[in-house]
Amino acid sequence: MIFSDAMMGQRRLFQPMIIALTALVFASLFLIMTLMDLRRIEDLVVDVLKMQAFTIADSIQKTSRQRYDHLISKDAHHEPFSEWHMDENAFSEQEDLSRTLIAWLKSLDIQHATDGNNPEDRWASGQFSAIAILDESGKIVNQTGTIPSDILAHGAALSKGLLEIDVHLFNPLDSENPLQFIGIRRQGGTGAILMILDHVSLRYWNIRTAVQQTFSDRLWGKDVVYLSIEDTSGNVMGQTGSLPKGEMEECLLMASRIREPGSPATQCVKVGDVRFLELSFPFVMDDTPVGTIRIGLETQETGRLLLKHRRHAMFWAGLMMIIGFLAMWLLYRTQNRHIRRIQNMQEALHHAEKLSSLGKLGAEVAHEIRNPLNAVSMAAQRLQREFEPETETRQAEYHHITHVIRDEVRRLNNIVEDFLSLSRTSRPDLRPQSITSLLDSILFLLQEESASKGIAIEKKWPLNDPHARMDSAKMRQAFINLIRNAMESISETGVITIAVDSVENGMIAVSFQDTGSGIPADQERQIFDPYFTTKKNGTGLGLCIAHEIILAHGGQIRVASESGQGATFEVLLPGLG
């Protein structure tokens, strides 16, 4: 038993720790799964954005390639332009190239007029074989590269106002010299600007024109913040939209994911309230990389949806963990309750085993006591009958002493009989019996005892004679114990009322009401326990035996009492109907 208690104590000590660790492990696993699920969703969103950007880049690549092929496939001969040639509706696809170059030369003219004779910075950003700025007489003011004399003659015509625009881009002047050129007259008639193009530079401007045509003809959607294509030198070949202005901050959303090696996404940045994801792809023509496509996609709405999903997932994850911890706590409480019940059952079993052992030992001792008690009782009777003193004064004292001896022997015999009755486990021999007849015989036996104590016994029998199936000997003992208990509760004179009545469900009620001291409220649940008594000379077995006998007959016993107001014991027995 000591070893079992020690084991139980250790179990109580480690059980909360084990349950807490188990709950923590499950909560950690659930949180890890939630985070992994969020990461998979973010990866999926990034992949969708990448696919969207790749689709846009592929569309730009294909459209630009088609326009480029269309540009270089034409073989039309262009006569020199005059001012009336500037109707935009007359421009063909090849003339878009001319318009692009003309726009670039006009911007160069404006910069030259602003910066003076040092336009080298502007020239450095161009793609050409040579370029020259002429004055009103056709003389070169600034130049880079070599200007052939025949092309310079065309420049002189522009300077003198004979032509406003002169374009030779698709058919060179000399078949042996593949150089092509374009020239414009400067603003205010102050000279001309000539641009000489070889095969490489013409290819560059064809690609640039195809890109600009592609950008001008397509709408890319509201999610696209900007699109741009830069050549290998970093010059912008075409652009739509613009990079938001403001301080660039790192975009927390998907920032770690987009920096994986091999990912086309280069950065996720935030400018003000705008978050966008920039992806870059190589721009290829004729299987040769000629630049880079940069695409900026707005991620504000995507980030809002992801943040909402993350909050939703974390809320449910937290709720599930709380439910898990609550379930573990309830399990712990339930298990502790069961453990306490098992301990109480073990203690009750141990107590029952002790009582059983004591009962067996007591039964043997009681059996051995009965023989000496019988001998003492017979000796007292013989003394009272044969050895009575002759003097009257001695006779009174003599009778008192022998009477005390016989009463004490009778009391001890009753105690032994009660103890033996408690230890017997035989089943009752049930037979139909009259309850009132049984009570009448009991009252006849107890009338002398009750009268000597000044206690009146009143009886209330019904007109009919109720019968019940019972063991008359055992039920007699139960009723006697209840009546004697009532007599012992009355200190001086009093009344015991015994009533028999039929109640509902075919039950017969036998009540024993006394005018004794009553039972305190805190002791009502204990009065049927073995050896519990409030009397000075009580054994605590009378009511216990009566209770067990009545239960064995399928009946019930109930008590109602107020301290100092007497008590009523009601016995319910199943009637014969």
Side-chain angles (χ1 to χ4, degrees):
M1 188 65 184
I2 297 176
F3 178 75
S4 177
D5 292 341
M7 292 291 292
M8 193 66 68
Q10 292 181 356
R11 186 175 181 181
R12 282 186 174 181
L13 178 63
F14 290 106
Q15 186 184 29
M17 298 176 59
I18 294 174
I19 292 179
L21 289 176
T22 303
L24 184 61
V25 169
F26 277 107
S28 301
L29 291 176
F30 192 83
L31 181 60
I32 291 173
M33 292 177 62
T34 302
L35 294 177
M36 292 177 64
D37 183 59
L38 290 174
R39 180 61 182 271
R40 283 193 295 269
I41 293 175
E42 290 186 359
D43 290 347
L44 178 61
V45 171
V46 172
D47 291 338
V48 169
L49 292 175
K50 284 184 176 181
M51 183 60 66
Q52 181 183 359
F54 177 78
T55 302
I56 294 173
D58 186 63
S59 176
I60 293 174
Q61 188 82 43
K62 290 180 179 179
T63 305
S64 299
R65 178 66 189 178
Q66 291 175 356
R67 293 187 176 277
Y68 172 76
D69 291 342
H70 205 185
L71 279 170
I72 64 176
S73 65
K74 295 292 183 178
D75 194 20
H77 179 72
H78 287 258
E79 297 297 334
F81 283 95
S82 60
E83 186 173 357
W84 60 271
H85 287 119
M86 294 302 294
D87 183 7
E88 291 186 0
N89 295 325
F91 276 98
S92 65
E93 291 182 354
Q94 285 85 358
E95 289 169 342
D96 285 342
L97 172 62
S98 302
R99 183 171 57 182
T100 300
L101 291 172
I102 289 170
W104 190 86
L105 289 176
K106 284 183 178 180
S107 65
L108 180 63
D109 181 23
I110 294 173
Q111 184 176 1
H112 181 267
T114 304
D115 298 341
N117 296 327
N118 297 302
E120 288 79 4
D121 294 338
R122 179 66 175 171
W123 291 355
S125 64
Q127 292 285 343
F128 43 78
S129 176
I131 194 167
I133 298 178
L134 309 180
D135 59 12
E136 296 88 341
S137 61
K139 295 182 180 180
I140 298 175
V141 178
N142 290 96
Q143 77 175 65
T144 178
T146 303
I147 309 296
S149 58
D150 53 349
I151 295 178
L152 188 59
H154 285 266
L158 289 169
S159 299
K160 295 176 182 179
L162 300 178
L163 293 173
E164 291 293 327
I165 300 174
D166 193 4
V167 179
H168 293 272
L169 296 176
F170 309 99
N171 295 97
L173 295 176
D174 186 354
S175 59
E176 295 182 359
N177 184 6
L179 296 177
Q180 304 177 69
F181 76 93
I182 182 172
I184 64 170
R185 189 180 183 191
R186 298 185 64 188
Q187 294 180 355
T190 57
I193 300 178
L194 294 176
M195 176 187 286
I196 314 300
L197 302 173
D198 56 12
H199 175 73
V200 175
S201 57
L202 181 61
R203 178 176 179 270
Y204 169 80
W205 285 103
N206 277 326
I207 294 173
R208 184 166 178 169
T209 301
V211 169
Q212 292 178 354
Q213 289 175 346
T214 300
F215 280 7
S216 63
D217 293 345
R218 296 289 301 274
L219 296 177
W220 308 106
K222 63 179 182 179
D223 294 337
V224 179
V225 180
Y226 64 91
L227 281 172
S228 69
I229 298 180
E230 300 175 355
D231 60 20
T232 54
S233 300
N235 299 318
V236 177
M237 301 174 68
Q239 181 174 326
T240 179
S242 60
L243 185 68
K245 296 181 180 180
E247 184 179 357
M248 303 287 287
E249 300 178 8
E250 183 181 13
C251 179
L252 297 179
L253 186 62
M254 301 175 293
S256 60
R257 174 68 176 86
I258 62 172
R259 290 174 180 161
E260 294 180 358
S263 173
T266 57
Q267 60 179 344
C268 180
V269 294
K270 175 182 176 183
V271 180
D273 294 332
V274 179
R275 294 179 176 87
F276 62 92
L277 185 67
E278 183 183 274
L279 300 100
S280 59
F281 302 88
F283 184 59
V284 180
M285 284 290 180
D286 298 329
D287 298 328
T288 302
V290 296
T292 302
I293 302 175
R294 295 177 60 196
I295 303 175
L297 297 177
E298 184 181 7
T299 61
Q300 185 172 2
E301 186 65 26
T302 303
R304 187 181 298 111
L305 292 176
L306 281 175
L307 185 59
K308 181 179 179 180
H309 180 79
R310 183 184 291 114
R311 290 175 179 173
H312 187 266
M314 295 304 293
F315 169 77
W316 284 108
L319 181 61
M320 292 301 295
M321 285 190 289
I322 291 174
I323 293 174
F325 278 110
L326 182 61
M328 288 291 181
W329 178 71
L330 291 176
L331 176 63
Y332 172 69
R333 286 196 60 187
T334 304
Q335 191 172 7
N336 276 349
R337 190 180 299 114
H338 288 312
I339 291 175
R340 284 195 297 270
R341 289 178 180 175
I342 292 173
Q343 287 179 333
N344 293 335
M345 291 175 63
Q346 289 177 344
E347 292 175 358
L349 181 60
H350 181 64
H351 183 64
E353 290 176 352
K354 289 175 64 177
L355 290 178
S356 177
S357 300
L358 290 175
K360 292 179 181 180
L361 179 61
E364 295 177 359
V365 173
H367 181 72
E368 295 298 326
I369 291 176
R370 294 183 69 178
N371 292 329
L373 285 178
N374 291 331
V376 172
S377 178
M378 292 176 63
Q381 292 177 14
R382 186 177 178 185
L383 284 173
Q384 191 176 19
R385 185 176 60 252
E386 298 179 4
F387 297 94
E388 183 177 1
E390 295 179 356
T391 61
E392 292 183 1
T393 56
R394 301 282 294 182
Q395 286 180 356
E397 185 178 359
Y398 173 78
H399 285 296
H400 174 71
I401 292 173
T402 56
H403 183 72
V404 170
I405 293 173
R406 293 185 65 184
D407 286 345
E408 291 301 316
V409 168
R410 187 184 301 110
R411 190 173 70 86
L412 289 175
N413 192 56
N414 289 335
I415 293 173
V416 171
E417 187 64 29
D418 288 344
F419 190 85
L420 291 175
S421 298
L422 184 64
S423 63
R424 295 191 189 105
T425 58
S426 59
R427 297 180 62 182
D429 183 14
L430 302 179
R431 295 182 183 182
Q433 299 286 337
S434 170
I435 296 178
T436 56
S437 298
L438 179 62
L439 289 171
D440 283 334
S441 64
I442 294 172
L443 294 180
F444 179 77
L445 294 175
L446 296 178
Q447 63 182 352
E448 182 179 351
E449 183 179 351
S450 62
S452 64
K453 294 183 179 180
I455 299 174
I457 298 179
E458 298 179 356
K459 59 181 183 179
K460 297 180 180 180
W461 302 159
L463 296 177
N464 59 338
D465 188 10
H467 285 62
R469 294 180 61 84
M470 56 186 176
D471 187 325
S472 59
K474 291 183 179 296
M475 191 58 67
R476 179 187 300 272
Q477 182 180 4
F479 286 163
I480 290 175
N481 288 351
L482 290 173
I483 295 173
R484 281 182 172 166
N485 179 75
M487 294 170 60
E488 291 173 358
S489 67
I490 300 174
S491 59
E492 297 179 358
T493 60
V495 179
I496 298 176
T497 303
I498 304 174
V500 180
D501 194 10
S502 297
V503 295
E504 59 183 8
N505 299 326
M507 302 294 286
I508 299 173
V510 182
S511 62
F512 302 86
Q513 183 177 5
D514 63 66
T515 58
S517 60
I519 303 171
D522 58 342
Q523 296 179 357
E524 286 188 8
R525 293 185 179 182
Q526 299 175 280
I527 59 176
F528 298 114
D529 292 343
Y531 309 111
F532 177 80
T533 181
T534 58
K535 302 178 181 66
K536 182 177 180 181
N537 297 319
T539 62
L541 296 175
L543 291 180
C544 176
I545 293 172
H547 182 258
E548 294 297 328
I549 291 174
I550 293 169
L551 291 182
H553 281 73
Q556 301 177 29
I557 183 170
R558 297 183 295 198
V559 60
S561 175
E562 292 184 10
S563 183
Q565 301 295 325
T568 300
F569 287 83
E570 184 180 45
V571 177
L572 297 177
L573 295 174
L576 293 180

